[in-house]
């Protein structure tokens, strides 16, 4: 079907479903941005767009997302919920348990918004892989996506998911059709850095993971701009609770490990690791260990495809 027809159909479907105020959860990613633009076309002033700063966002993310929505001419409320997320995640190390906490906290934030604006609906940018990997249709649960399997049972909002049947490449085509400049933005998971921090989520470990992700992004974007490699589909760092012995100058260091991950994919359902040239990996490794001296003393590169790995580490 032609993309313009998909847009028209989605707008009509939203118009027939939504007859009252609707909150939309906007992360700045392409899925929720497309959902927001469609919903804005469909119901205009009934829409209340909310960006939740979970404290698990990438460097400069909140400002960038505000910029994306300012460019689109859609009003966006920014809610700083970092304290709520980080305190509820304290001490939790099991990946699915983290995802349950995150799914629930998002809903509690939206309920607080609902109390203010009287919303009846919650629009989410859920796409097909989110519910497939969350165990939809009698499948095994690979990981409970925060917006599907991670939702609590007692949600007091009617959930509307206009992109539920689409895959990432199709959503990107719709984004281009809608003139969304951030259509090619690399995916960033709703649970944010939480799924990239293995083990306990502490403020120091969040800061380290955020810095390592920033280094991987800036180095690979610069290398791609100079024609040294192709920009991968997704590229980031994860922090592992694996300590090894290292040395800085004359001093012994017992620090954690950063794993660099870069993959090519079409829709995130399967992926191949990207063969990044070694000199670029070496520059990334040096910058990470210099920036995180004492905390991280070893950097490794993940050469696993999906399957058998997944893209994120949790
Ligand atoms: P995996 O790790 O399952 O990831 O191979 C496939 C794609 O989905 C993203 N991802 C998520 N996105 N909520 C999201 O919005 C989630 O809970 C979630 N978990 C993974 C991941 O970054 C990759 O692009």
């Amino acid at each position: 079907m032609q993309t313009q027809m998909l847009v028209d159909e989605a707008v009509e479907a939203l118009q027939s479903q939504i007859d009252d105020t609707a909150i939309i959860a906007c992360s700045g990613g392409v899925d929720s941005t497309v959902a927001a633009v469609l919903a804005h076309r469909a119901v205009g002033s009934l829409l209340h767009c909310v960006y939740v700063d979970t404290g698990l966002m990438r460097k400069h993310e909140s400002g960038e997302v505000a910029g994306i929505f300012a460019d689109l001419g859609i009003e966006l409320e920014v809610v700083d919920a970092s304290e709520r997320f980080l305190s509820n995640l304290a001490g939790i190390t099991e990946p699915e348990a983290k995802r349950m906490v995150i799914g629930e906290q998002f809903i509690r934030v939206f309920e607080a918004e609902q109390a203010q604006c009287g919303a009846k609906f919650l629009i989410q940018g859920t796409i097909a892989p989110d519910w497939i990997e969350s165990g939809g249709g009698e499948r095994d649960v690979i990981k409970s996506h925060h917006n599907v399997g991670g939702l609590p049972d007692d949600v007091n909002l009617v959930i509307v998911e206009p992109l539920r049947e689409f895959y990432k490449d199709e959503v990107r085509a719709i984004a281009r059709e809608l003139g969304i400049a951030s259509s090619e933005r690399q995916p960033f998971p709703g649970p944010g850095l939480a799924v990239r921090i293995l083990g306990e989520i502490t403020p120091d470990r969040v800061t380290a993971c955020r810095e390592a992700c920033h280094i991987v992004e800036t180095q690979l974007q610069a290398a791609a701009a100079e024609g040294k490699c192709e920009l991968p589909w997704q590229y980031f760092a994860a922090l592992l609770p694996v300590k090894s012995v290292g040395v800085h100058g004359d001093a012994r260091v017992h620090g954690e490990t950063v794993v660099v991950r870069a993959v090519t994919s079409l829709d995130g359902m399967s992926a191949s690791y990207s063969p990044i040239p070694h000199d670029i990996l070496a520059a990334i490794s040096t910058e990470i260990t210099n920036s995180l001296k004492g905390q991280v003393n070893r950097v490794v590169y993940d050469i696993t495809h999906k399957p058998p790995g997944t893209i994120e580490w949790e």
Side-chain angles (χ1 to χ4, degrees), residues 99 133 143 145-146 187 189-191 233-234 268 306 310-312:
R99 284 173 170 273
E133 294 211 333
K143 46 185 82 176
H145 282 232
H146 72 290
W233 189 81
Q234 194 168 6
K306 174 184 179 177
T310 54
I311 296 176
E312 304 288 350

Side-chain angles (χ1 to χ4, degrees), residues 25-30 32-33 50-52 57 61 65 69 185 188 190:
C26 301
S27 67
V30 65
S32 58
T33 306
V50 180
Y51 165 83
V52 182
M57 312 309 287
E61 185 113 47
V65 177
F69 277 77
R185 201 168 190 253
F188 184 60

Side-chain angles (χ1 to χ4, degrees), residues 58 168 172 186-189 196 216 220 231-236 261-265 268 271-272 274 301 311-312:
R58 286 173 295 182
K168 188 69 101 190
R172 286 216 166 109
Q186 71 152 319
F188 184 60
R196 298 178 179 174
V216 171
L220 283 178
L231 192 62
W233 189 81
Q234 194 168 6
Y235 43 104
F236 57 88
R261 181 86 164 130
V263 296
T264 53
S265 181
S272 303
S274 298
Y301 187 57
I311 296 176
E312 304 288 350

